Amino acid sequence: DQQVKQNSPSLSVQEGRISILNCDYTNSMFDYFLWYKKYPAEGPTFLISISSIKDKNEDGRFTVFLNKSAKHLSLHIVPSQPGDSAVYFCAASGGTASKLTFGTGTRLQVTL
Amino acid sequence: GAGVSQSPSNKVTEKGKDVELRCDPISGHTALYWYRQSLGQGLEFLIYFQGNSAPDKSGLPSDRFSAERTGGSVSTLTIQRTQQEDSAVYLCASSVDRDFYGYTFGSGTRLTVV
């Protein structure tokens, strides 16, 4: 039962353009959402988060949007840079859960 | 150390053998998590330790898997009688309590069962 879904396994975007990574969830108890970035042979690193009381959170080039009614969140990267090429994981937590539930990841390739 | 340290970074083992994976968390982090990532899958929760509380073992896939955390610091994940489906990258993370902002992952152990 995949409670957090990232339906696009890969995405290719030109440098300078916007990258949009999508994530859907099924568990209505989730109230905190995070995005992690992972380079090869490294562990995931925290990128940005949003709680369910907000619908948008911005940090520099990165913005996360949350649509609770659709159980959908997205990560926007503007402008995209070659160093953004990595695998991006969406994760969620909720209630008294002590763990994060992760999606399967989207591999972003930013081309010159 | 400054980060979460995992060893070994790579492990190849024969089917049926036991393996031990080690995680050294960030000093002062009371919460420690084990996840694994199989090919084409997301990060799958395995087990969670928080201070002196009983661990949350709800993610362990079978009784061949066990983990311990000694002295509230180093943790060892043991897989007995390894199977080919155990092949994955095993990731450890630590944080202060359940602070997901401070969830710091190690670089993982890539386990290959042949």
Side-chain angles (χ1 to χ4, degrees):
Chain A
D1 176 27
Q2 193 73 27
Q3 297 187 62
V4 177
K5 301 177 185 179
Q6 294 178 257
N7 292 318
S8 297
S10 64
L11 175 67
S12 183
V13 172
Q14 264 190 327
E15 182 181 12
R17 300 287 187 111
I18 183 171
S19 295
I20 301 176
L21 295 91
N22 293 303
C23 177
D24 297 293
Y25 62 96
T26 57
N27 189 338
S28 57
M29 294 297 293
F30 287 150
D31 59 7
Y32 192 66
F33 305 89
L34 306 91
W35 285 93
Y36 284 82
K37 177 178 177 179
K38 184 181 185 301
Y39 292 117
E42 295 183 12
T45 56
F46 169 75
L47 189 58
I48 193 169
S49 66
I50 189 167
S51 76
S52 59
I53 62 173
K54 302 175 80 172
D55 55 18
K56 177 183 174 181
N57 188 27
E58 190 172 352
D59 183 2
R61 297 185 297 112
F62 302 91
T63 304
V64 56
F65 295 91
L66 175 62
N67 182 333
K68 289 187 290 294
S69 60
K71 294 191 176 68
H72 176 83
L73 65 155
S74 60
L75 173 68
H76 292 210
I77 306 173
V78 182
S80 301
Q81 298 174 354
D84 297 329
S85 297
V87 177
Y88 290 78
F89 290 96
C90 171
S93 181
T96 59
S98 55
K99 63 183 187 288
L100 293 176
T101 301
F102 285 85
T104 52
T106 296
R107 182 178 301 278
L108 173 65
Q109 180 75 36
V110 179
T111 58
L112 297 174
Chain B
V4 176
S5 177
Q6 290 189 245
S7 61
S9 54
N10 277 286
K11 176 72 177 178
V12 179
T13 189
E14 289 182 354
K15 178 180 171 182
K17 299 279 181 123
D18 298 351
V19 294
E20 283 189 354
L21 312 180
R22 177 188 167 105
C23 173
D24 201 340
I26 292 173
S27 178
H29 279 192
T30 55
L32 186 148
Y33 305 78
W34 284 97
Y35 286 82
R36 74 174 176 181
Q37 185 182 15
S38 304
L39 192 64
Q41 303 296 314
L43 277 71
E44 174 190 6
F45 168 76
L46 297 177
I47 189 169
Y48 161 61
F49 295 91
Q50 172 58 54
N52 295 320
S53 303
D56 175 357
K57 304 179 182 180
S58 60
L60 294 179
S62 78
D63 59 8
R64 297 186 295 104
F65 287 72
S66 63
E68 63 177 21
R69 187 178 185 191
T70 53
S73 181
V74 172
S75 177
T76 303
L77 177 69
T78 301
I79 309 172
Q80 296 179 308
R81 305 181 303 282
T82 52
Q83 303 294 312
Q84 287 185 327
E85 62 263 28
D86 299 334
S87 296
V89 176
Y90 289 80
L91 290 159
C92 175
S94 71
S95 70
V96 177
D97 194 12
R98 287 173 48 200
D99 176 10
F100 296 130
Y101 285 107
Y103 223 76
T104 303
F105 281 90
S107 52
T109 294
R110 179 175 297 278
L111 175 67
T112 304
V113 182
V114 297

